[in-house]
Amino acid sequence: MKNLVILGGGYGGMKILSELLPNHLPEDVTITLVDRVPYHCLKTEYYALAAGTISDKEVRVAFPEHPRLVVKYGEVTGIDTTGRKINMADGEQLAYDDLIIGLGCEDKYHGVPGAEQFTYSIQSIEKARHTYSVLNNLGPGSVVGIVGAGLSGVELASELSESREDLNIKLFDRGKHILSAFPERLSKYVENWFVRNNVEIINNSNITKVEENRLYNHDVPIECDVIVWTAGIQANKIARDMDGEKDRSGRLIVTKHHHLPTDEHIFIVGDCASSPHAPSAQLAEGQAEQIAEVLKKRWNGEPVPESFPPIKLKGVLGSLGKKQGFGMMADHAITGRVARMLKSGILWMYKFHNG
Ligand SMILES: Cc1cc2nc3c(=O)[nH]c(=O)nc-3n(C[C@H](O)[C@H](O)[C@H](O)COP(=O)(O)OP(=O)(O)OC[C@H]3O[C@@H](n4cnc5c(N)ncnc54)[C@H](O)[C@@H]3O)c2cc1C
């Protein structure tokens, strides 16, 4: 029996499973899925989980069941690529024939002193739950500092302001306008929403230090009751610690067939894989489809295509609370209720297709 080990049951890991199960797994192959959480988590909704506007149950999706799928619950601590084994925190070692690394990402603190120690995060389910508990225990008039106004910072700030009008929310961003990756028209639309909803945007900010309940913008101290960090991500430490070439975010460089240049049995999917595109669930799923294709061809003894067509990304959608949204679809900017309804629809479809 050959063992395909998938590290991480996130968007990449789940898509691989849905491509291979139930009909495309040869009789002599088993899959071992490893995750520290016993279900697939909808990371794209962590902003709402942290804000307290959806329940924990709404971000959980059961892993699929199959006679030749073993789900191993536990913490991966390292990968022995020479011995072809996964090291687990409980001391167990898991042997693999083929390996897919889809462990997602972590916050990147850009060397800002105190940021890792004194800020809260929404990058993992455990951290989003912790952030939920501190945010939701705040008294009226408390100050919440959110550092970073990309998609996740904007979604968190808007969700929180809509559900807790009593809080004083400050959104710090490096750029002249928030959402710097989007067209200026969209950034301005979102900025106007924040103005109407009493979220203070602090543009051109530079957070130089963080202490307990205090951050320094250009070295000027600002008191905050809670500080949430949404100002950058990097590949999971397990991927960062591996030998091999990486990009500036610690993501492993891969071939056009998504495996390491030095080992055709180690594939990388999602936020751990270097790509010209910004990391996203959509991208992870596109990569996963192609990895599943490579594995199926190899298992069937068929030639693997020389290259794959570019992964088609449909666009980006963000929410502004429960009623308004914004986004780019097929190079068109969309705003308002339609954008929000599309985002909810995509989430509904995802949950429907994943049981
Ligand atoms: C607030 C927010 C909003 C977002 N919105 C969007 C959006 O609208 N559209 C979009 O396309 N993308 C969005 N993203 C990005 C998207 O969530 C990620 O790009 C996507 O989750 C990456 O998928 P992945 O499979 O690489 O990893 P993940 O989905 O993060 O899965 C990684 C898995 O690995 C497990 N794991 C990690 N480390 C270990 C370990 N040491 N041992 C065992 N298990 C481990 C985790 O438990 C997790 O299940 C958003 C992200 C955030 C934070």
Side-chain angles (χ1 to χ4, degrees):
M1 260 313 188
K2 286 192 199 129
N3 193 19
L4 165 65
V5 172
I6 303 175
L7 301 183
Y11 291 88
M14 279 293 274
K15 190 69 184 175
I16 303 260
L17 290 175
S18 73
E19 291 290 310
L20 297 180
L21 305 175
N23 298 325
H24 294 286
L25 196 62
E27 289 294 322
D28 63 342
V29 179
T30 53
I31 300 180
T32 306
L33 172 70
V34 185
D35 206 297
R36 58 158 76 111
V37 184
Y39 35 76
H40 168 53
C41 294
L42 301 175
K43 184 169 184 178
T44 59
E45 306 310 301
Y46 285 0
Y47 69 92
L49 182 67
T53 56
I54 59 170
S55 75
D56 203 277
K57 189 166 174 286
E58 286 170 73
V59 300
R60 300 182 215 148
V61 171
F63 289 134
E65 289 181 13
H66 187 275
R68 272 176 291 120
L69 169 65
V70 177
V71 180
K72 166 95 188 132
Y73 169 61
E75 181 77 19
V76 177
T77 53
I79 300 168
D80 169 5
T81 53
T82 316
R84 294 186 173 270
K85 288 191 174 74
I86 307 303
N87 298 324
M88 303 292 297
D90 60 7
E92 193 184 344
Q93 288 197 312
L94 296 173
Y96 65 82
D97 296 286
D98 287 295
L99 174 66
I100 300 170
I101 302 173
L103 293 168
C105 68
E106 299 169 357
D107 293 288
K108 188 172 181 181
Y109 296 101
H110 311 285
V112 175
E116 183 166 4
Q117 200 180 350
F118 298 115
T119 67
Y120 292 86
S121 163
I122 56 169
Q123 284 304 333
S124 72
I125 185 95
E126 303 85 355
K127 288 180 178 172
R129 284 173 183 148
H130 190 40
T131 304
Y132 157 79
S133 80
V134 291
L135 286 175
N136 283 276
N137 281 317
L138 286 172
S142 298
V143 179
V144 178
I146 298 175
V147 182
L151 183 65
S152 50
V154 162
E155 291 193 315
L156 176 65
S158 55
E159 193 80 6
L160 195 58
S161 78
E162 191 178 80
S163 62
R164 286 287 308 268
E165 287 178 17
D166 58 300
L167 293 177
N168 178 356
I169 301 169
K170 295 177 190 291
L171 183 56
F172 296 87
D173 195 59
R174 252 183 186 285
K176 197 167 80 170
H177 291 289
I178 62 169
L179 290 169
S180 55
F182 289 78
E184 200 170 308
R185 179 169 98 72
L186 265 190
S187 302
K188 285 189 174 161
Y189 170 83
V190 176
E191 282 179 350
N192 285 336
W193 189 94
F194 280 133
V195 170
R196 287 198 307 277
N197 289 273
N198 296 321
V199 173
E200 185 185 354
I201 300 171
I202 298 130
N203 292 119
N204 298 312
S205 61
N206 180 21
I207 307 307
T208 45
K209 188 164 71 168
V210 185
E211 293 172 346
E212 193 165 6
N213 300 127
R214 185 179 301 117
L215 58 73
Y216 291 77
N217 184 21
H218 295 280
D219 296 327
V220 178
I222 297 169
E223 305 298 317
C224 297
D225 295 286
V226 171
I227 304 162
V228 186
W229 191 266
T230 54
I233 53 167
Q234 58 186 340
N236 185 296
K237 188 169 185 316
I238 304 287
R240 297 204 313 277
D241 285 350
M242 285 178 71
D243 290 337
E245 208 187 331
K246 288 152 215 142
D247 65 17
R248 283 192 318 167
S249 300
R251 300 181 300 175
L252 287 151
I253 308 286
V254 289
T255 66
K256 54 192 172 188
H257 293 128
H258 305 283
H259 57 70
L260 293 182
T262 50
D263 192 332
E264 64 170 20
H265 294 286
I266 302 183
F267 297 86
I268 318 293
V269 70
D271 293 356
C272 290
S274 184
S275 162
H277 302 288
S280 72
Q282 265 186 83
L283 179 63
E285 291 195 303
Q287 294 163 333
E289 275 173 8
Q290 297 186 347
I291 292 171
E293 196 57 30
V294 173
L295 287 171
K296 282 190 274 184
K297 294 275 184 213
R298 280 193 196 162
W299 288 334
N300 292 335
E302 294 169 16
V304 175
E306 181 58 29
S307 61
F308 288 109
I311 294 170
K312 281 201 188 109
L313 300 173
K314 295 187 190 85
V316 187
L317 289 167
S319 64
L320 290 171
K322 296 288 184 228
K323 299 192 191 86
Q324 303 288 313
F326 61 93
M328 292 296 296
M329 297 295 278
D331 286 340
H332 290 294
I334 50 169
T335 53
R337 265 182 190 274
V338 173
R340 188 66 182 90
M341 278 160 62
L342 276 173
K343 190 174 164 81
S344 302
I346 288 168
L347 177 64
W348 187 89
M349 291 282 283
Y350 185 86
K351 284 186 171 177
F352 180 77
H353 285 297
N354 288 280

